[in-house]
Amino acid sequence: MSEPPISGVETVERTVSPGPDGERPSTPSEEKETDLPSAQRVVPLRHPWRWIATVVVAVVVAQIVHGLVTNPFYQWDRFHYWFLRPVILDGLLITLKVAAWSAVFGLLGGVLLALARLSRSPVLRAVSWVYVWLFRSVPLIVVLLFLYNFSALYRTFSLGVPFGPGFVSFSESTVATDVVVAVVGLSLNEAAYAAEVVRAGLLSVDQGQHEAASALGLPKSYQFTRIVFPQALRAIVPSYVNQLIGLIKSTSLVFYVSLLDLFGQVQSMGSTYPGDVVPLLLVATVWYVILTSVVSLIQFYVERYYSRGALRTVPPTPLQRLRAGFRTLRARRRIGAAL
């Protein structure tokens, strides 16, 4: 049973007899089609709503940029004055120092807590669970203020026999400087979140990998360092870099324990020069954006490195994407010129 012709399309059946030499002569419609470029027969799919959304977003972004440039309240001349002042750079250096030490100690503590949570010892599992539960429940500013006033509870520390005599004693005020209090407080808080990130990454490794490593008779330490942990890093890195970005921004809280980091210097200069509050806040904003952007860039290349074993092709770098975009644009321009 033959199908009915499609509405709006006229179908013409024509019998063409072969020529004297056996070749079939071309029909008038085929001769007409062969004269046209092949690109004329391709009609791209239209996306009107995509263009409308693009225009709306472009207009909103243009309005925001116009407001930032033309509004005199931002005082961009004062922004340029404060951006590289030594007092700001000193605060930035303290921010980097506190964030770096807190990231290292927080990650080490998180790995130990994750291993304790996954161990077969009920005591270690319970202690790790209580630690994570406690420090995820208490706000960071409360932890910092508690450590800042720790000398009211313990004036001296001593090393010796537990519940027995001490061999070495030292005053709390000589050890707990402002930088130490900030690093300890941020590290304690960071370790609780890092522990859950590391534990989730370790659990994401397929159970077959553990069984295959055990079947080969590999030592436990070798299984963890060469088989389990490298695969777990693919899940750990993105989540932990988000933690690092949050840690960099959390360093602004150390101002409340009398440590003049980047935000603390901005606050101090804003109190001294009340007319420059907005430019100083813009300075802090730009520096925090730069720091978090650098961390995000490192995250991209670390993820790209560890994705080699999971993806057939690694994701292109921003430079490779830019080159591909230029090649596509040149190809479209050549097609347009040919038409």
Side-chain angles (χ1 to χ4, degrees):
M1 183 176 180
S2 61
E3 296 181 356
I6 301 174
S7 177
V9 177
E10 182 182 0
T11 58
V12 178
E13 295 183 357
R14 184 175 180 181
T15 303
V16 181
S17 59
D21 53 355
E23 294 182 357
R24 184 175 68 87
S26 59
T27 62
S29 60
E30 289 176 347
E31 292 176 354
K32 184 177 181 181
E33 290 179 356
T34 53
D35 294 338
L36 296 175
S38 59
Q40 289 185 357
R41 296 193 297 271
V42 178
V43 179
L45 184 63
R46 306 300 181 185
H47 300 282
W49 289 108
R50 181 188 299 175
W51 284 103
I52 292 174
T54 303
V55 170
V56 171
V57 171
V59 170
V60 172
V61 172
Q63 284 187 332
I64 294 174
V65 174
H66 180 266
L68 287 174
V69 174
T70 59
N71 192 341
F73 191 69
Y74 288 109
Q75 305 179 61
W76 291 109
D77 55 335
R78 301 300 296 169
F79 170 84
H80 291 294
Y81 172 79
W82 285 110
F83 189 69
L84 295 176
R85 297 296 296 174
V87 65
I88 299 297
L89 296 181
D90 291 342
L92 177 64
L93 183 62
I94 293 177
T95 296
L96 291 174
K97 184 189 302 183
V98 171
W101 283 115
S102 302
V104 172
F105 291 135
L107 180 60
L108 292 177
V111 172
L112 295 177
L113 288 169
L115 295 178
R117 185 78 180 276
L118 297 174
S119 70
R120 297 182 179 179
S121 171
V123 176
L124 294 180
R125 288 202 306 268
V127 171
S128 175
W129 184 86
V130 170
Y131 180 93
V132 173
W133 165 74
L134 179 63
F135 279 93
R136 289 202 308 179
S137 303
V138 180
L140 177 57
I141 184 64
V142 176
V143 176
L144 290 172
L145 292 176
F146 190 83
L147 291 174
Y148 189 67
N149 296 282
F150 204 68
S151 60
L153 299 174
Y154 302 98
R155 295 186 179 278
T156 59
F157 295 110
S158 61
L159 297 176
V161 180
F163 305 104
F167 302 123
V168 179
S169 299
F170 42 86
S171 175
E172 191 270 349
S173 59
T174 59
V175 177
T177 61
D178 295 339
V179 175
V180 172
V181 168
V183 171
V184 171
L186 290 171
S187 300
L188 292 175
N189 184 79
E190 185 70 13
Y193 290 94
E196 291 301 286
V197 172
V198 175
R199 187 174 70 90
L202 295 176
L203 292 177
S204 67
V205 179
D206 189 77
Q207 190 63 26
Q209 298 290 320
H210 296 271
E211 296 172 355
S214 300
L216 293 174
L218 300 176
K220 288 292 184 182
S221 59
Y222 191 87
Q223 294 180 24
F224 179 77
T225 56
R226 302 302 298 270
I227 297 177
V228 177
F229 195 64
Q231 297 183 64
L233 280 177
R234 286 201 298 267
I236 292 174
V237 169
S239 301
Y240 189 68
V241 172
N242 285 332
Q243 281 296 120
L244 287 181
I245 292 174
L247 174 65
I248 292 173
K249 294 187 293 184
S250 298
T251 55
S252 60
L253 294 176
V254 302
F255 168 69
Y256 296 99
V257 293
S258 302
L259 185 61
L260 293 179
D261 67 325
L262 175 61
F263 179 73
Q265 294 289 5
V266 167
Q267 284 287 90
S268 178
M269 291 297 103
S271 301
T272 306
Y273 303 92
D276 291 350
V277 171
V278 173
L280 285 168
L281 291 176
L282 286 174
V283 167
T285 301
V286 172
W287 274 119
Y288 281 120
V289 169
I290 292 174
L291 295 180
T292 54
S293 299
V294 171
V295 174
S296 300
L297 185 63
I298 296 173
Q299 175 194 5
F300 171 77
Y301 282 100
V302 172
E303 287 185 22
R304 188 171 183 269
Y305 177 80
Y306 282 105
S307 67
R308 294 180 303 174
L311 302 177
R312 295 184 185 276
T313 56
V314 295
T317 63
L319 184 59
Q320 291 173 342
R321 292 181 181 177
L322 186 63
R323 289 176 178 172
F326 279 124
R327 285 196 297 269
T328 304
L329 184 61
R330 284 200 297 267
R332 290 180 177 177
R333 292 183 62 182
R334 282 198 297 269
I335 293 175
L339 294 177

PDB file of all heavy atoms in Angstrom, residues 51-75:
ATOM      1  N   TRP A  51      18.301  34.276  21.229  1.00  0.00           N
ATOM      2  CA  TRP A  51      18.768  35.615  20.887  1.00  0.00           C
ATOM      3  C   TRP A  51      18.125  36.670  21.790  1.00  0.00           C
ATOM      4  O   TRP A  51      18.778  37.635  22.204  1.00  0.00           O
ATOM      5  CB  TRP A  51      18.458  35.905  19.417  1.00  0.00           C
ATOM      6  CG  TRP A  51      19.409  35.207  18.486  1.00  0.00           C
ATOM      7  CD1 TRP A  51      19.178  34.085  17.755  1.00  0.00           C
ATOM      8  CD2 TRP A  51      20.763  35.582  18.210  1.00  0.00           C
ATOM      9  NE1 TRP A  51      20.288  33.729  17.039  1.00  0.00           N
ATOM     10  CE2 TRP A  51      21.288  34.643  17.283  1.00  0.00           C
ATOM     11  CE3 TRP A  51      21.581  36.620  18.636  1.00  0.00           C
ATOM     12  CZ2 TRP A  51      22.584  34.705  16.806  1.00  0.00           C
ATOM     13  CZ3 TRP A  51      22.880  36.687  18.153  1.00  0.00           C
ATOM     14  CH2 TRP A  51      23.368  35.739  17.250  1.00  0.00           C
ATOM     15  N   ILE A  52      16.828  36.490  22.089  1.00  0.00           N
ATOM     16  CA  ILE A  52      16.153  37.459  22.970  1.00  0.00           C
ATOM     17  C   ILE A  52      16.782  37.448  24.352  1.00  0.00           C
ATOM     18  O   ILE A  52      17.061  38.506  24.949  1.00  0.00           O
ATOM     19  CB  ILE A  52      14.647  37.127  23.039  1.00  0.00           C
ATOM     20  CG1 ILE A  52      13.995  37.382  21.687  1.00  0.00           C
ATOM     21  CG2 ILE A  52      13.962  37.955  24.130  1.00  0.00           C
ATOM     22  CD1 ILE A  52      12.538  36.939  21.613  1.00  0.00           C
ATOM     23  N   ALA A  53      17.035  36.249  24.904  1.00  0.00           N
ATOM     24  CA  ALA A  53      17.664  36.166  26.223  1.00  0.00           C
ATOM     25  C   ALA A  53      19.060  36.765  26.204  1.00  0.00           C
ATOM     26  O   ALA A  53      19.486  37.442  27.163  1.00  0.00           O
ATOM     27  CB  ALA A  53      17.720  34.703  26.670  1.00  0.00           C
ATOM     28  N   THR A  54      19.799  36.550  25.114  1.00  0.00           N
ATOM     29  CA  THR A  54      21.150  37.119  25.012  1.00  0.00           C
ATOM     30  C   THR A  54      21.114  38.643  25.016  1.00  0.00           C
ATOM     31  O   THR A  54      21.912  39.310  25.686  1.00  0.00           O
ATOM     32  CB  THR A  54      21.825  36.609  23.734  1.00  0.00           C
ATOM     33  OG1 THR A  54      21.855  35.180  23.755  1.00  0.00           O
ATOM     34  CG2 THR A  54      23.249  37.139  23.623  1.00  0.00           C
ATOM     35  N   VAL A  55      20.168  39.191  24.273  1.00  0.00           N
ATOM     36  CA  VAL A  55      20.061  40.654  24.222  1.00  0.00           C
ATOM     37  C   VAL A  55      19.686  41.223  25.588  1.00  0.00           C
ATOM     38  O   VAL A  55      20.247  42.234  26.037  1.00  0.00           O
ATOM     39  CB  VAL A  55      19.023  41.053  23.148  1.00  0.00           C
ATOM     40  CG1 VAL A  55      18.717  42.545  23.233  1.00  0.00           C
ATOM     41  CG2 VAL A  55      19.528  40.692  21.765  1.00  0.00           C
ATOM     42  N   VAL A  56      18.736  40.571  26.286  1.00  0.00           N
ATOM     43  CA  VAL A  56      18.319  41.060  27.611  1.00  0.00           C
ATOM     44  C   VAL A  56      19.494  41.028  28.584  1.00  0.00           C
ATOM     45  O   VAL A  56      19.764  41.997  29.319  1.00  0.00           O
ATOM     46  CB  VAL A  56      17.145  40.214  28.138  1.00  0.00           C
ATOM     47  CG1 VAL A  56      16.852  40.566  29.598  1.00  0.00           C
ATOM     48  CG2 VAL A  56      15.903  40.449  27.282  1.00  0.00           C
ATOM     49  N   VAL A  57      20.234  39.924  28.604  1.00  0.00           N
ATOM     50  CA  VAL A  57      21.379  39.818  29.511  1.00  0.00           C
ATOM     51  C   VAL A  57      22.453  40.843  29.153  1.00  0.00           C
ATOM     52  O   VAL A  57      23.060  41.474  30.034  1.00  0.00           O
ATOM     53  CB  VAL A  57      21.953  38.377  29.464  1.00  0.00           C
ATOM     54  CG1 VAL A  57      23.273  38.302  30.229  1.00  0.00           C
ATOM     55  CG2 VAL A  57      20.958  37.392  30.043  1.00  0.00           C
ATOM     56  N   ALA A  58      22.687  41.051  27.848  1.00  0.00           N
ATOM     57  CA  ALA A  58      23.690  42.035  27.426  1.00  0.00           C
ATOM     58  C   ALA A  58      23.304  43.444  27.866  1.00  0.00           C
ATOM     59  O   ALA A  58      24.157  44.231  28.303  1.00  0.00           O
ATOM     60  CB  ALA A  58      23.870  41.974  25.906  1.00  0.00           C
ATOM     61  N   VAL A  59      22.017  43.761  27.781  1.00  0.00           N
ATOM     62  CA  VAL A  59      21.570  45.091  28.206  1.00  0.00           C
ATOM     63  C   VAL A  59      21.744  45.271  29.711  1.00  0.00           C
ATOM     64  O   VAL A  59      22.217  46.321  30.190  1.00  0.00           O
ATOM     65  CB  VAL A  59      20.097  45.297  27.795  1.00  0.00           C
ATOM     66  CG1 VAL A  59      19.533  46.566  28.438  1.00  0.00           C
ATOM     67  CG2 VAL A  59      19.975  45.395  26.288  1.00  0.00           C
ATOM     68  N   VAL A  60      21.412  44.233  30.489  1.00  0.00           N
ATOM     69  CA  VAL A  60      21.571  44.329  31.946  1.00  0.00           C
ATOM     70  C   VAL A  60      23.039  44.486  32.326  1.00  0.00           C
ATOM     71  O   VAL A  60      23.407  45.318  33.169  1.00  0.00           O
ATOM     72  CB  VAL A  60      20.960  43.084  32.620  1.00  0.00           C
ATOM     73  CG1 VAL A  60      21.280  43.073  34.109  1.00  0.00           C
ATOM     74  CG2 VAL A  60      19.454  43.051  32.406  1.00  0.00           C
ATOM     75  N   VAL A  61      23.918  43.686  31.694  1.00  0.00           N
ATOM     76  CA  VAL A  61      25.350  43.794  31.986  1.00  0.00           C
ATOM     77  C   VAL A  61      25.875  45.171  31.591  1.00  0.00           C
ATOM     78  O   VAL A  61      26.674  45.783  32.324  1.00  0.00           O
ATOM     79  CB  VAL A  61      26.113  42.674  31.243  1.00  0.00           C
ATOM     80  CG1 VAL A  61      27.623  42.884  31.363  1.00  0.00           C
ATOM     81  CG2 VAL A  61      25.730  41.306  31.795  1.00  0.00           C
ATOM     82  N   ALA A  62      25.428  45.689  30.445  1.00  0.00           N
ATOM     83  CA  ALA A  62      25.866  47.022  30.020  1.00  0.00           C
ATOM     84  C   ALA A  62      25.426  48.096  31.011  1.00  0.00           C
ATOM     85  O   ALA A  62      26.172  49.043  31.293  1.00  0.00           O
ATOM     86  CB  ALA A  62      25.317  47.317  28.622  1.00  0.00           C
ATOM     87  N   GLN A  63      24.219  47.948  31.549  1.00  0.00           N
ATOM     88  CA  GLN A  63      23.754  48.925  32.540  1.00  0.00           C
ATOM     89  C   GLN A  63      24.595  48.859  33.818  1.00  0.00           C
ATOM     90  O   GLN A  63      24.923  49.896  34.405  1.00  0.00           O
ATOM     91  CB  GLN A  63      22.289  48.655  32.863  1.00  0.00           C
ATOM     92  CG  GLN A  63      21.324  49.131  31.774  1.00  0.00           C
ATOM     93  CD  GLN A  63      19.875  48.996  32.200  1.00  0.00           C
ATOM     94  OE1 GLN A  63      19.545  48.136  33.015  1.00  0.00           O
ATOM     95  NE2 GLN A  63      19.007  49.813  31.643  1.00  0.00           N
ATOM     96  N   ILE A  64      24.939  47.650  34.251  1.00  0.00           N
ATOM     97  CA  ILE A  64      25.763  47.515  35.458  1.00  0.00           C
ATOM     98  C   ILE A  64      27.140  48.139  35.251  1.00  0.00           C
ATOM     99  O   ILE A  64      27.645  48.891  36.096  1.00  0.00           O
ATOM    100  CB  ILE A  64      25.877  46.031  35.844  1.00  0.00           C
ATOM    101  CG1 ILE A  64      24.501  45.486  36.255  1.00  0.00           C
ATOM    102  CG2 ILE A  64      26.883  45.842  36.966  1.00  0.00           C
ATOM    103  CD1 ILE A  64      24.488  43.991  36.515  1.00  0.00           C
ATOM    104  N   VAL A  65      27.758  47.840  34.097  1.00  0.00           N
ATOM    105  CA  VAL A  65      29.083  48.398  33.813  1.00  0.00           C
ATOM    106  C   VAL A  65      29.011  49.915  33.691  1.00  0.00           C
ATOM    107  O   VAL A  65      29.878  50.641  34.203  1.00  0.00           O
ATOM    108  CB  VAL A  65      29.643  47.763  32.527  1.00  0.00           C
ATOM    109  CG1 VAL A  65      30.955  48.442  32.118  1.00  0.00           C
ATOM    110  CG2 VAL A  65      29.865  46.267  32.729  1.00  0.00           C
ATOM    111  N   HIS A  66      27.956  50.411  33.049  1.00  0.00           N
ATOM    112  CA  HIS A  66      27.801  51.865  32.914  1.00  0.00           C
ATOM    113  C   HIS A  66      27.659  52.528  34.282  1.00  0.00           C
ATOM    114  O   HIS A  66      28.242  53.591  34.547  1.00  0.00           O
ATOM    115  CB  HIS A  66      26.566  52.150  32.040  1.00  0.00           C
ATOM    116  CG  HIS A  66      26.311  53.619  31.841  1.00  0.00           C
ATOM    117  ND1 HIS A  66      25.447  54.346  32.658  1.00  0.00           N
ATOM    118  CD2 HIS A  66      26.812  54.501  30.936  1.00  0.00           C
ATOM    119  CE1 HIS A  66      25.421  55.601  32.248  1.00  0.00           C
ATOM    120  NE2 HIS A  66      26.243  55.720  31.198  1.00  0.00           N
ATOM    121  N   GLY A  67      26.910  51.870  35.178  1.00  0.00           N
ATOM    122  CA  GLY A  67      26.769  52.435  36.520  1.00  0.00           C
ATOM    123  C   GLY A  67      28.070  52.426  37.295  1.00  0.00           C
ATOM    124  O   GLY A  67      28.386  53.378  38.030  1.00  0.00           O
ATOM    125  N   LEU A  68      28.873  51.360  37.133  1.00  0.00           N
ATOM    126  CA  LEU A  68      30.159  51.307  37.832  1.00  0.00           C
ATOM    127  C   LEU A  68      31.119  52.377  37.315  1.00  0.00           C
ATOM    128  O   LEU A  68      31.917  52.925  38.077  1.00  0.00           O
ATOM    129  CB  LEU A  68      30.779  49.915  37.643  1.00  0.00           C
ATOM    130  CG  LEU A  68      30.148  48.762  38.418  1.00  0.00           C
ATOM    131  CD1 LEU A  68      30.769  47.434  38.004  1.00  0.00           C
ATOM    132  CD2 LEU A  68      30.325  48.957  39.915  1.00  0.00           C
ATOM    133  N   VAL A  69      31.048  52.665  36.026  1.00  0.00           N
ATOM    134  CA  VAL A  69      32.009  53.612  35.439  1.00  0.00           C
ATOM    135  C   VAL A  69      31.596  55.051  35.683  1.00  0.00           C
ATOM    136  O   VAL A  69      32.433  55.920  35.981  1.00  0.00           O
ATOM    137  CB  VAL A  69      32.152  53.330  33.927  1.00  0.00           C
ATOM    138  CG1 VAL A  69      33.016  54.392  33.253  1.00  0.00           C
ATOM    139  CG2 VAL A  69      32.750  51.943  33.703  1.00  0.00           C
ATOM    140  N   THR A  70      30.313  55.349  35.575  1.00  0.00           N
ATOM    141  CA  THR A  70      29.871  56.749  35.597  1.00  0.00           C
ATOM    142  C   THR A  70      29.446  57.243  36.974  1.00  0.00           C
ATOM    143  O   THR A  70      29.386  58.451  37.184  1.00  0.00           O
ATOM    144  CB  THR A  70      28.692  56.928  34.626  1.00  0.00           C
ATOM    145  OG1 THR A  70      27.617  56.052  35.019  1.00  0.00           O
ATOM    146  CG2 THR A  70      29.120  56.599  33.203  1.00  0.00           C
ATOM    147  N   ASN A  71      29.163  56.346  37.931  1.00  0.00           N
ATOM    148  CA  ASN A  71      28.714  56.788  39.251  1.00  0.00           C
ATOM    149  C   ASN A  71      29.903  57.354  40.038  1.00  0.00           C
ATOM    150  O   ASN A  71      30.842  56.601  40.365  1.00  0.00           O
ATOM    151  CB  ASN A  71      28.088  55.621  40.004  1.00  0.00           C
ATOM    152  CG  ASN A  71      27.355  56.089  41.253  1.00  0.00           C
ATOM    153  OD1 ASN A  71      27.589  57.203  41.745  1.00  0.00           O
ATOM    154  ND2 ASN A  71      26.457  55.268  41.756  1.00  0.00           N
ATOM    155  N   PRO A  72      29.899  58.650  40.353  1.00  0.00           N
ATOM    156  CA  PRO A  72      31.070  59.224  41.058  1.00  0.00           C
ATOM    157  C   PRO A  72      31.198  58.734  42.491  1.00  0.00           C
ATOM    158  O   PRO A  72      32.264  58.925  43.104  1.00  0.00           O
ATOM    159  CB  PRO A  72      30.788  60.737  41.010  1.00  0.00           C
ATOM    160  CG  PRO A  72      29.297  60.836  40.874  1.00  0.00           C
ATOM    161  CD  PRO A  72      28.859  59.659  40.082  1.00  0.00           C
ATOM    162  N   PHE A  73      30.161  58.107  43.030  1.00  0.00           N
ATOM    163  CA  PHE A  73      30.214  57.653  44.417  1.00  0.00           C
ATOM    164  C   PHE A  73      31.244  56.533  44.608  1.00  0.00           C
ATOM    165  O   PHE A  73      31.716  56.308  45.716  1.00  0.00           O
ATOM    166  CB  PHE A  73      28.828  57.164  44.836  1.00  0.00           C
ATOM    167  CG  PHE A  73      28.704  56.917  46.309  1.00  0.00           C
ATOM    168  CD1 PHE A  73      28.732  57.966  47.216  1.00  0.00           C
ATOM    169  CD2 PHE A  73      28.576  55.625  46.795  1.00  0.00           C
ATOM    170  CE1 PHE A  73      28.624  57.736  48.573  1.00  0.00           C
ATOM    171  CE2 PHE A  73      28.469  55.380  48.154  1.00  0.00           C
ATOM    172  CZ  PHE A  73      28.490  56.438  49.039  1.00  0.00           C
ATOM    173  N   TYR A  74      31.576  55.824  43.514  1.00  0.00           N
ATOM    174  CA  TYR A  74      32.575  54.759  43.639  1.00  0.00           C
ATOM    175  C   TYR A  74      33.992  55.300  43.831  1.00  0.00           C
ATOM    176  O   TYR A  74      34.851  54.606  44.346  1.00  0.00           O
ATOM    177  CB  TYR A  74      32.529  53.855  42.411  1.00  0.00           C
ATOM    178  CG  TYR A  74      31.302  52.976  42.362  1.00  0.00           C
ATOM    179  CD1 TYR A  74      30.294  53.212  41.443  1.00  0.00           C
ATOM    180  CD2 TYR A  74      31.150  51.917  43.241  1.00  0.00           C
ATOM    181  CE1 TYR A  74      29.158  52.412  41.396  1.00  0.00           C
ATOM    182  CE2 TYR A  74      30.022  51.112  43.207  1.00  0.00           C
ATOM    183  CZ  TYR A  74      29.032  51.365  42.278  1.00  0.00           C
ATOM    184  OH  TYR A  74      27.911  50.583  42.244  1.00  0.00           O
ATOM    185  N   GLN A  75      34.252  56.523  43.383  1.00  0.00           N
ATOM    186  CA  GLN A  75      35.545  57.188  43.588  1.00  0.00           C
ATOM    187  C   GLN A  75      36.697  56.301  43.094  1.00  0.00           C
ATOM    188  O   GLN A  75      37.531  55.845  43.883  1.00  0.00           O
ATOM    189  CB  GLN A  75      35.752  57.532  45.061  1.00  0.00           C
ATOM    190  CG  GLN A  75      34.644  58.357  45.675  1.00  0.00           C
ATOM    191  CD  GLN A  75      34.904  58.650  47.134  1.00  0.00           C
ATOM    192  OE1 GLN A  75      35.907  59.291  47.480  1.00  0.00           O
ATOM    193  NE2 GLN A  75      34.022  58.188  47.995  1.00  0.00           N
TER     194      GLN A  75
END
